[in-house]
Amino acid sequence: MSAPKSSATPGAAEIDVRGLHKSFGDNEVLRGIDLEIRQGEVVCVIGPSGSGKSTLLRCVNLLEEPTKGQVFVGGTELTDPDVDIDAVRRRIGMVFQQFNLFPHLTVTENLTLPQRRVLGRNKATAARVAAENLERVGLAEKAEAYPSSLSGGQQQRVAIARALAMGPEVMLFDEPTSALDPELVGDVLAVMRRLAHEGMTMMVVTHEMTFAREVADRVVFMDGGVIVEDGTPDQVITDPRHTRTRHFLSRLLDPAMAEVEEETSDLVQGAPKPPVTKQERPPTPPGRGV
Amino acid sequence: MTDTGNETALTPRRSGLTRRQKRALSRGAQYLIFVAAVVALAVGADWGRLQNQFAQVDLAKQLFPDIITLALKNTVLYTLSGFVVGLVLGMVIALMRLSSVGPYRWVSGIYIEIFRGLPALLIFIFVGVAVPLAFPGTEIPGGTYGKVAIALGLVSAAYMAETIRAGIQAVPKGQMEAARSLGFSHARAMISVVIPQAFRIVIPPLTNELVLLFKDSSLVLFLGVTLEERELAKFGRDLASQTANSTPILVAGLCYLLVTVPLGFIVRRLEAKAGEATK
């Protein structure tokens, strides 16, 4: 399916990550990441927990400060110490695993407060934009509710609407459905799917392989702080080239089978390991797709 | 050795009493002590003299309306002004405590340790005596009211700062991150998102602080006040010595309870509500 991409300079790099390293103390979580996401592209980042995918996403709007390397969004270098980070963040929407709605405000106020305080919009404009975006995620009737009275799925859709109300050029999603009950995941993914079709540039850290396969233009597989594989969903999910990608996918799709595979791989490598290895130290990364 | 130990532990020991009998015995003993204490008090105390000294209805009637319109009013004024000063100062100190600037953290830490460690009475004497000596010619604005507000404020700020700091730290980190990701500056995120939530968390302990201040306002006694500036404790004590009878002290005490008991009730309600909200 071909999505109508946004008209302005199609194919220009919207997110550009160059030589990114990030350490927490002695723990090097990102070990040299290069990633380019073009305007209107939807990129899903997959990988085992502890692979650094969330840290990478958080570096893209500088919630984590990179130890080394550069991050550009829409041509502005975020890692430049002289840049007004608040101004750049206005152009980047972020959706968190835990929703992070403001619990002391109603749904509408959650959407209007940032518009008014950050963008300086007047009350009427902010309210109108809020209503439009609540409509967009199908929650217009919850405008006056407090977040605590909403289901997880509804809260996450409000969080998406809140980010959209700021008119971002890019949307970052950090495992947006991981904290949801399985039956609530669908509504959130539907909103994200529609957003993708509208041409939004999206970087999505996720475990939802079906979503990645159907919606993503590109899938990036990360492990041990590096990008192991980067390509179309067909390449990376259906026909992965690297053993580690295959391992991860089989473990994700069929935990029982993964164990068998893991054991055999242990025999091959001759190194005894606990069955659930969260983070294995990777060898130097192979060449990247792009 | 271990075998025999295990065996004795497993065999039930026979003390001759069942569990229910033991419980009844313990309960009976507690009631007995209680009744004995009440009887001893009723028989032993000289109720006639006590009533004469503390509960003369005629004398109590004469205290009104001044004890309310003057004394209670002043107590409330002293308390509220001290609370406002303490809240503002406490907020500033709490933010300094959380600052990334080292000296701010040290200064606020030292402040908190000093003012939590000193008796409130010393602070009152310090404000009433030492400050006028140190800065001759400068008057604390508002006379006694200003002095009390500052003395009570200095004391309560130390406690409130710690409470507010804990409240700010209790707001989940994701709230600040969400606000920053929307483009809020750190300061704006604090003001619009974090602090409003922190205040919800700290309302019960702050109300409790208000009760403590209400009682501490009695320390005005040591500042030397005019007739018009007297609050409950001073008022009660003055009239007690005038009339050579302690009834005014009792009535003043009842006036304190008139405020502190309902406030305490409100605090417990707020705490229960807050506990429910975090479920």
Side-chain angles (χ1 to χ4, degrees):
Chain A
M1 55 186 99
S2 68
K5 300 297 183 189
S6 96
S7 51
T9 51
E14 184 64 48
I15 298 176
D16 191 358
V17 176
R18 295 183 194 163
L20 189 71
H21 287 257
K22 173 66 184 176
S23 302
F24 294 104
D26 289 337
N27 183 20
E28 194 174 24
V29 179
L30 297 178
R31 303 160 185 261
I33 301 280
D34 291 279
L35 179 67
E36 215 180 280
I37 297 178
R38 286 181 297 277
Q39 206 160 56
E41 213 174 8
V42 176
V43 175
C44 283
V45 183
I46 61 172
S49 63
S51 58
K53 52 195 195 305
S54 280
T55 306
L56 170 62
L57 192 79
R58 290 162 60 85
C59 280
V60 173
N61 73 353
L62 229 63
L63 278 183
E64 300 293 352
E65 202 146 344
T67 315
K68 215 169 84 186
Q70 292 171 301
V71 177
F72 294 84
V73 172
T76 313
E77 187 191 344
L78 273 71
T79 35
D80 176 0
D82 290 329
V83 84
D84 177 2
I85 187 64
D86 297 329
V88 186
R89 282 193 182 126
R90 278 168 220 166
R91 292 155 40 195
I92 311 170
M94 173 119 178
V95 174
F96 298 84
Q97 185 178 348
Q98 297 297 337
F99 330 134
N100 294 343
L101 292 179
F102 305 138
H104 61 302
L105 303 176
T106 64
V107 164
T108 297
E109 286 164 350
N110 261 279
L111 271 70
T112 51
L113 180 82
Q115 292 184 61
R116 300 193 59 198
R117 293 278 182 278
V118 176
L119 303 177
R121 286 182 185 153
N122 66 37
K123 212 172 168 178
T125 313
R128 184 174 47 74
V129 174
E132 282 168 12
N133 282 288
L134 284 178
E135 188 74 47
R136 218 163 149 188
V137 299
L139 285 172
E141 82 280 6
K142 295 290 184 188
E144 299 312 315
Y146 278 90
S148 57
S149 69
L150 304 181
S151 74
Q154 291 171 332
Q155 289 192 45
Q156 192 60 295
R157 280 146 69 198
V158 172
I160 295 172
R162 179 175 69 178
L164 290 176
M166 305 297 282
E169 302 164 15
V170 182
M171 286 286 285
L172 309 177
F173 293 84
D174 188 4
E175 302 198 23
T177 57
S178 296
L180 298 177
D181 290 335
E183 76 269 22
L184 302 174
V185 168
D187 288 342
V188 173
L189 291 183
V191 167
M192 290 170 63
R193 188 167 286 147
R194 208 172 319 134
L195 202 56
H197 283 252
E198 285 166 16
M200 178 64 76
T201 311
M202 289 164 66
M203 182 171 172
V204 185
V205 171
T206 188
H207 292 290
E208 295 291 336
M209 287 306 136
T210 317
F211 177 81
R213 204 194 308 261
E214 288 172 6
V215 182
D217 298 304
R218 259 164 66 207
V219 172
V220 170
F221 173 70
M222 279 182 75
D223 193 12
V226 295
I227 292 177
V228 176
E229 201 154 343
D230 179 345
T232 65
D234 274 347
Q235 284 167 353
V236 178
I237 298 177
T238 317
D239 184 23
R241 279 176 300 159
H242 295 271
T243 350
R244 274 190 287 167
T245 318
R246 273 204 291 276
H247 260 223
F248 170 73
L249 289 169
S250 63
R251 210 178 310 167
L252 201 66
L253 299 173
D254 185 359
M257 209 184 83
E259 219 148 289
V260 176
E261 239 184 78
E262 189 117 340
E263 267 164 37
T264 48
S265 82
D266 284 352
L267 287 177
V268 171
Q269 290 173 16
K273 259 185 283 174
V276 188
T277 321
K278 278 200 167 176
Q279 198 180 344
E280 49 188 83
R281 198 183 175 320
T284 29
R288 247 163 258 109
V290 179
Chain B
M1 196 62 211
T2 39
D3 280 347
T4 51
N6 276 344
E7 239 161 71
T8 45
L10 286 171
T11 27
R13 199 185 294 161
R14 304 198 172 196
S15 67
L17 287 175
T18 66
R19 228 169 37 168
R20 185 183 306 195
Q21 283 170 324
K22 274 190 206 157
R23 206 183 301 154
L25 200 68
S26 145
R27 200 166 261 246
Q30 290 179 49
Y31 274 114
L32 201 68
I33 292 169
F34 179 73
V35 170
V38 171
V39 169
L41 203 66
V43 175
D46 188 339
W47 289 99
R49 267 176 60 195
L50 205 60
Q51 191 193 355
N52 213 18
Q53 184 64 22
F54 272 99
Q56 292 210 356
V57 178
D58 288 354
L59 209 62
K61 277 184 184 158
Q62 286 173 30
L63 296 172
F64 291 89
D66 277 5
I67 197 164
I68 302 291
T69 55
L70 181 78
L72 182 59
K73 184 201 79 181
N74 275 336
T75 295
V76 169
L77 273 180
Y78 289 140
T79 308
L80 289 183
S81 56
F83 188 76
V84 169
V85 172
L87 190 61
V88 172
L89 192 59
M91 186 78 231
V92 172
I93 293 168
L95 290 175
M96 284 170 71
R97 198 93 186 86
L98 295 169
S99 164
S100 54
V101 182
Y104 279 171
R105 286 200 307 275
W106 307 331
V107 167
S108 55
I110 291 167
Y111 178 94
I112 290 168
E113 290 308 324
I114 288 179
F115 282 87
R116 282 202 309 188
L118 288 174
L121 176 57
L122 287 193
I123 314 288
F124 268 80
I125 293 171
F126 178 80
V127 171
V129 180
V131 170
L133 278 181
F135 307 100
T138 52
E139 270 288 304
I140 293 176
T144 306
Y145 291 98
K147 281 182 197 165
V148 176
I150 287 173
L152 282 181
L154 286 174
V155 178
S156 59
Y159 292 95
M160 290 203 235
E162 282 297 88
T163 307
I164 294 168
R165 179 190 57 78
I168 288 174
Q169 286 179 331
V171 176
K173 230 179 108 209
Q175 293 290 311
M176 175 56 91
E177 287 184 350
R180 292 310 302 272
S181 78
L182 287 161
F184 283 84
S185 67
H186 183 86
R188 268 231 175 280
M190 267 298 197
I191 293 167
S192 301
V193 175
V194 177
I195 289 175
Q197 291 181 58
F199 260 95
R200 263 150 219 252
I201 299 171
V202 300
I203 280 175
L206 283 189
T207 315
N208 204 35
E209 183 63 28
L210 188 64
V211 174
L212 295 177
L213 276 186
F214 193 74
K215 296 186 289 177
D216 278 350
S217 66
S218 61
L219 295 168
V220 177
L221 208 66
F222 294 92
L223 278 183
V225 295
T226 67
L227 287 181
E228 290 305 303
E229 291 166 349
R230 287 179 301 179
E231 44 63 68
L232 280 171
K234 172 83 171 152
F235 185 85
R237 211 178 74 144
D238 283 2
L239 270 94
S241 51
Q242 269 172 40
T243 57
N245 187 287
S246 300
T247 304
I249 304 272
L250 183 84
V251 179
L254 291 176
C255 287
Y256 277 108
L257 292 178
L258 199 70
V259 175
T260 53
V261 170
L263 270 181
F265 180 74
I266 290 170
V267 171
R268 281 190 298 281
R269 278 284 301 275
L270 289 172
E271 276 170 351
K273 242 176 115 181
E276 215 156 276
T278 52
K279 253 182 213 169

